[in-house]
Amino acid sequence: MMAALPDKDVPAATVSQGNQPLPYREEDGVKVFEITAQPVRWTFLDGVEQVAWTYNGMVPGPLIRVTEGDRVRFIVRNDLPDDTTIHWHGIAVPNAMDGVPDVTQPPIAPGETFVYEFEAKPAGTYWYHSHVEPDIQIGAGLHGAFIIDPATPEADPPDVDQVLVLNEWRFVNNQTFGAMPMGGMDPNYFTINGKAFPATETLKVKVGDKVRLRFVAVGQFIHPMHLHGVPFKIVATDGHPVPEGAQLTKDTVSVAPGERYDIEFVATEPGVWMLHCHISHHTTNDGEEPGGLMMMIEVEA
Ligand SMILES: [Cu+2]
């Protein structure tokens, strides 16, 4: 059995929602972001507050959103009790910026800082995550979404554009362990944007809205995400647009570890529609239904 994450003197998170836009400053035409890897106690749902290893104290880490061609710099500080790095999953970075410890850089030791800099490309839905002990660190919270908008704005942008980060957790006796597909280490909590149902956000949209959902599976399990009410089209896979004639119309899309799927639909039917993983174990909280990977989409007439 792997050890639990250390829980001594870990402060409570000071924010309650993850995936918040990461602010930046401009220096000589470069967008400069600051990221600190740090442990916090995160509230996954009422009564379930557990240690997570986070970027900037939130689960998932802050949303990075820039435009294709932007020069971006990330000043990454490690306040974890363990080495770490950041890998920019799917983004075309120079080799030295790829974040693989002992291959492209030395790991960032506790208390140290490393600076990543590259041109943001190509446009699409990407993510960033630790590449040190990934079986523990990524699932424990060291992950976030990274959206690169096209340099030429979209002709018909969606009315609602939402990132949905899917992850699994293993909490036993108030301690956080790595959740992984091996004997005895199965997850018992499942989250969308760092919250387990009923704490997941309800997405509010209006009849006629074009809705884009960007799924990012950051853990080690596949999640067949099923939308009630209307079918959707898969418009991008792993950040790359799907040509219109090749877009599948589906009601369930399986998002495997590391993958991104951007789906779109027009909300034509008023009501409260469920979006959930179709592996029923994944819609439980420590064995109790309902929970986990479920959320509501409220379509207003
Ligand atoms: Cu699932």
Side-chain angles (χ1 to χ4, degrees), residues 166 168 190 221-225 276-283 293:
L166 314 174
E168 316 92 34
F190 307 86
F221 292 77
I222 194 165
H223 299 296
M225 298 304 293
H276 65 93
C277 178
H278 225 287
I279 294 174
S280 301
H281 174 214
H282 298 178
T283 51
L293 288 177

Side-chain angles (χ1 to χ4, degrees), residues 67-69 123 148-157:
T67 302
E68 188 174 23
I148 303 177
D149 288 312
T152 306
E154 294 180 66
D156 180 23

Side-chain angles (χ1 to χ4, degrees), residues 56-207:
N56 293 7
M58 65 181 77
V59 181
L63 172 65
I64 297 166
R65 189 155 195 169
V66 297
T67 302
E68 188 174 23
D70 281 352
R71 189 85 193 160
V72 292
R73 182 182 302 148
F74 298 95
I75 301 168
V76 178
R77 181 182 162 79
N78 181 8
D79 279 349
L80 301 168
D82 196 2
D83 290 349
T84 199
T85 61
I86 295 185
H87 169 62
W88 313 95
H89 186 124
I91 299 170
V93 299
N95 184 249
M97 298 290 106
D98 201 39
V100 182
D102 301 318
V103 176
T104 63
Q105 67 170 95
I108 313 169
E112 290 192 348
T113 293
F114 187 87
V115 178
Y116 296 91
E117 185 168 329
F118 50 88
E119 185 185 327
K121 63 180 182 188
T125 305
Y126 302 97
W127 63 298
Y128 61 106
H129 61 80
S130 166
H131 221 289
V132 171
E133 294 163 357
D135 56 342
I136 303 291
Q137 290 200 3
I138 300 176
L142 294 171
H143 58 256
F146 193 137
I147 295 177
I148 303 177
D149 288 312
T152 306
E154 294 180 66
D156 180 23
D159 302 292
V160 175
D161 185 351
Q162 179 70 49
V163 173
L164 299 174
V165 175
L166 314 174
N167 193 27
E168 316 92 34
W169 306 80
R170 176 170 171 77
F171 306 136
V172 179
N173 296 329
N174 281 319
Q175 290 189 298
T176 302
F177 292 83
M180 54 190 81
M182 59 187 272
M185 299 301 283
D186 283 338
N188 57 349
Y189 286 89
F190 307 86
T191 53
I192 301 174
N193 290 345
K195 302 289 174 180
F197 184 82
T200 49
E201 185 184 356
T202 293
L203 193 62
K204 296 197 173 179
V205 310
K206 293 190 190 68
V207 165

Side-chain angles (χ1 to χ4, degrees), residues 227-232 250-251 265-269 273:
L227 176 66
H228 291 209
V230 290
F232 55 78
K250 301 267 292 168
D251 59 39
F265 60 92
V266 176
T268 51
E269 306 301 320
W273 298 101

